[in-house]
């Protein structure tokens, strides 16, 4: 992972206060106290990363209905599409691979709709891991369902349940390159990745094995996707860039 925390100081809040950054959540069975129930969950590093970057995190559970989605998007200043389980391969016209996780139709439906609404509204967003895959599928792209089979190693998720690290090369002239430089050591944990890029998306970062590690949406004010997990590292520059963009709405 990266070294000491880096990046500019927190952006100054606009007249309306610091920007509201919506973060998508998991929907999973969970235990607390005497209860075991289905819950909307989010690993704390996502919210902390937004907060430390100067934004106000707002959790977005996967709604059962898309009613009010446009209203939601109009009240947010930015969005983080968070990581999580695998998208249903039927959504990009593929047959399910044995290693693909169980479907989560409610989360898939909500996040695909949110991604499309954010694009249409020119809402600043940062799509992380699954979130980048959601963005790609929302734009008509497709995914590699099991990377170890495709690249011949498990370096993108080297140990079950533990975040690993690898280096990415970042394209010159890209927005992510302007934030992070020509290369970066990034926290990684994924077994799927982009295969066919969606409409308007440009690949801007790669690992040594040529897996696409970041994309940018052309013509969008701030539309970035990264396959790694910046919230698990100590480099906050991507979150700070998102908050700066969101504060300028």
């Amino acid at each position: 992972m990266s070294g000491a925390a880096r990046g500019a100081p927190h952006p100054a809040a606009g007249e309306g206060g610091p920007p509201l950054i919506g973060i998508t959540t998991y929907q999973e069975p969970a235990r607390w106290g005497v209860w075991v129930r289905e819950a909307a969950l989010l690993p704390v590093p996502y919210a902390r990363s937004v907060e430390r970057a100067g934004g106000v995190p707002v959790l977005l559970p996967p709604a059962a209905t898309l009613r009010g989605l446009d209203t939601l998007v109009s009240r947010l200043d930015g969005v983080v599409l968070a990581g999580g389980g695998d998208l249903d391969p039927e959504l990009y016209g593929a047959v399910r691979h044995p290693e693909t996780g169980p479907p989560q139709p409610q989360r898939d439906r909500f996040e695909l709709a949110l991604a499309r609404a954010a694009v249409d509204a020119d809402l600043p967003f940062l799509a992380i891991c699954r979130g980048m895959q959601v963005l790609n599928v929302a734009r008509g792209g497709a995914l590699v369902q099991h990377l170890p089979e495709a690249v011949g190693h498990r370096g993108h998720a080297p140990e079950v349940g533990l975040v690993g690290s690898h280096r990415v090369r970042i394209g010159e002239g890209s927005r992510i390159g302007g934030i992070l430089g020509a290369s970066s050591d990034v926290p990684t944990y994924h077994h799927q990745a982009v295969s066919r890029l969606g409409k308007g998306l440009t690949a801007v970062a790669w690992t040594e094995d040529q897996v696409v590690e970041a994309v940018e949406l052309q013509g969008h004010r701030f539309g970035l996707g990264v396959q790694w997990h910046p919230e698990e590292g100590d480099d906050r520059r991507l979150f700070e860039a998102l908050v700066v963009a969101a504060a300028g709405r």
Side-chain angles (χ1 to χ4, degrees):
M1 297 188 187
S2 305
R6 292 173 290 182
H10 293 173
E15 292 181 5
L20 300 180
I21 309 296
I23 312 173
T24 59
T25 67
Y26 298 62
Q27 185 166 305
E28 304 283 351
R31 176 189 294 274
W32 67 96
V34 299
W35 305 103
V36 179
R37 303 189 60 183
E38 190 174 39
L41 302 173
L42 182 73
V44 168
Y46 285 102
R48 283 185 178 157
S49 295
V50 166
E51 194 172 19
R52 288 169 178 167
V56 176
V58 179
L59 272 57
L60 306 177
T65 172
L66 300 181
R67 185 178 64 249
L69 184 62
D70 289 342
T71 300
L72 172 65
V73 167
S74 72
R75 294 181 181 178
L76 294 172
D77 300 305
V79 167
V80 172
L81 295 169
D86 299 333
L87 277 162
D88 188 339
E90 288 187 5
L91 293 167
Y92 48 94
V95 176
R96 180 175 298 277
H97 188 282
E99 295 294 333
T100 295
Q104 301 175 304
Q106 186 167 314
R107 187 176 183 193
D108 289 351
R109 181 175 62 251
F110 174 73
E111 292 183 359
L112 286 167
L114 177 63
R116 291 174 180 133
V119 170
D120 290 345
D122 203 28
L123 184 69
F125 66 81
L126 175 61
I128 294 174
C129 198
R130 168 192 159 94
M132 182 173 118
Q133 295 163 13
V134 167
L135 172 65
N136 192 56
V137 171
R139 301 294 293 172
L143 305 177
V144 177
Q145 289 192 59
H146 192 54
L147 270 178
E149 189 174 271
V151 300
H153 64 83
R154 295 184 175 272
H156 294 271
E159 194 167 347
V160 175
L162 292 176
V163 175
S165 178
H166 61 48
R167 174 154 289 204
V168 296
R169 173 177 57 87
I170 305 171
E172 184 179 357
S174 67
R175 188 155 194 172
I176 291 177
I179 297 168
L180 299 181
S183 66
S184 184
D185 292 322
V186 298
T188 180
Y189 193 84
H190 64 102
H191 84 111
Q192 297 194 339
V194 166
S195 58
R196 184 183 72 247
L197 280 167
K199 182 180 178 182
L201 294 175
T202 300
V204 297
W206 305 263
T207 40
E208 187 177 356
D209 55 16
Q210 298 307 304
V211 170
V212 174
E213 286 282 329
V215 297
E216 297 181 0
L217 181 60
Q218 300 308 303
H220 196 82
R221 189 151 49 91
F222 188 95
L224 309 185
V226 295
Q227 189 57 71
W228 65 86
H229 282 276
E231 80 285 356
E232 293 292 342
D234 51 19
D235 186 340
R236 296 194 297 270
R237 287 177 292 176
L238 284 172
F239 287 99
E240 289 172 348
L242 170 65
V243 168
V244 167
R249 280 200 87 197

